């Protein structure tokens, strides 16, 4: 099952967020795209209303992050159990914006991944190289190291998704070439198979970074790309619907 995930990031007040969720739900209410799972990750403030708006449709709900702690005195944090309680099935962890702007390390990401799985969520673990790392030919080394350290011991491969998101491609309008994406996904698949054996090939590998309705079909045609993590283009219903249609 392919996965197309929309990460709204810190965008959307109630009115526009609900309108966006409803437009996506309406487009697929009659016939959810076969073989494609569609995930919406709104900001935490909109999880409840968006969850209600997409209830009974084929769309699923996810959080953009979760705390590494189960509960307690962590002001402002949202736990994985709170996400599950609102009907989430997924949590994104280790997005590069959290690594860059919130100082999250691989060790933090691994704890978040474990916290998500502990309450039954699937964790979407993000990895990706910077422009400088790519220029130095370090891409495979960097993403494999992130994969190794960000996926916690005891990880359930059935509830793991990995998103390859080159930092330089996020929000930039630039994407790697198809062969470059294929190379990284092959390396990640190798790492997953080494770690999880026969469960490795079944772990979905997403590409993220400047995916649009115009380039989605080409990116999704790359071998070992099992879906997309979409930021900017998930904020406009027609663009996101176009990406979902490209996947189907
Ligand atoms: P973008 O973001 O599609 O706006 O490049 C992708 C992401 O950060 O997940």
């Amino acid at each position: 099952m392919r996965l197309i995930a929309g990460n709204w990031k810190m965008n959307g007040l109630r009115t526009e967020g609900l309108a966006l969720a409803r437009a996506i739900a309406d487009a697929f209410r009659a016939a959810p795209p076969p073989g494609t799972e569609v995930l919406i990750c709104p900001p935490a403030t909109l999880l409840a209303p968006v969850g209600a708006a997409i209830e009974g449709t084929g769309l699923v709900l996810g959080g953009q992050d979760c705390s590494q702690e189960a509960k307690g005195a962590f002001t402002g944090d949202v736990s994985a159990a709170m996400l599950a309680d609102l009907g989430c099935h997924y949590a994104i962890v280790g997005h590069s914006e959290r690594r860059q702007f919130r100082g999250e390390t691989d060790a933090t990401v691994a704890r978040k991944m474990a916290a998500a799985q502990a309450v039954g969520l699937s964790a979407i673990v993000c990895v990706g190289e910077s422009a400088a790392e790519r220029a130095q030919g370090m891409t495979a080394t960097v993403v494999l190291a992130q994969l190794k350290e960000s996926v916690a011991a005891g990880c359930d491969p059935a509830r793991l998704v990995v998103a390859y998101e080159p930092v330089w491609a996020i929000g930039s309008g630039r994407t790697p070439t198809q062969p470059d994406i294929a190379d990284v996904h092959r390396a990640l698949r190798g790492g997953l198979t080494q770690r999880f054996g026969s469960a490795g090939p079944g772990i979905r590998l997403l590409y993220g970074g400047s995916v649009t309705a115009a380039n989605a079909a080409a990116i999704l045609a790359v071998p070992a790309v099992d879906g997309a993590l979409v930021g900017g283009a998930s904020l406009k219903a027609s663009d996101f619907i176009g990406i979902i249609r490209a996947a189907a």
Side-chain angles (χ1 to χ4, degrees), residues 7 9 95 97 165 169-171 209-211 229-232:
N7 171 13
K9 308 191 181 184
H95 190 281
E97 285 150 16
E165 297 210 305
I170 294 175
S210 295
V211 175
L229 181 51
V230 185

Side-chain angles (χ1 to χ4, degrees), residues 3 8 12 14 23 30 38-39 46 49-50 66 68 74 76 97 106 133 138 153-154 161 163 174 192 202 205 213 240:
L3 176 61
W8 293 4
R14 253 185 313 180
V38 178
L39 170 66
L46 293 185
V50 167
C66 69
Q68 65 268 41
F74 301 100
E97 285 150 16
D106 288 332
E133 288 162 344
M138 300 279 292
V161 176
R174 294 191 298 137
L192 290 168
L205 273 175
F240 193 55

Side-chain angles (χ1 to χ4, degrees), residues 174-236:
R174 294 191 298 137
T175 58
T177 63
Q178 287 173 280
D180 284 346
I181 296 173
D183 282 349
V184 177
H185 277 232
R186 203 176 307 114
L188 288 169
R189 180 69 70 208
L192 290 168
T193 301
Q194 201 175 17
R195 174 107 175 236
F196 295 107
S198 60
I203 297 170
R204 284 174 297 179
L205 273 175
L206 312 184
Y207 168 79
S210 295
V211 175
T212 65
N215 66 21
I219 288 171
L220 291 165
V222 173
V225 172
D226 304 310
L229 181 51
V230 185
S234 72
L235 292 171
K236 205 170 148 208

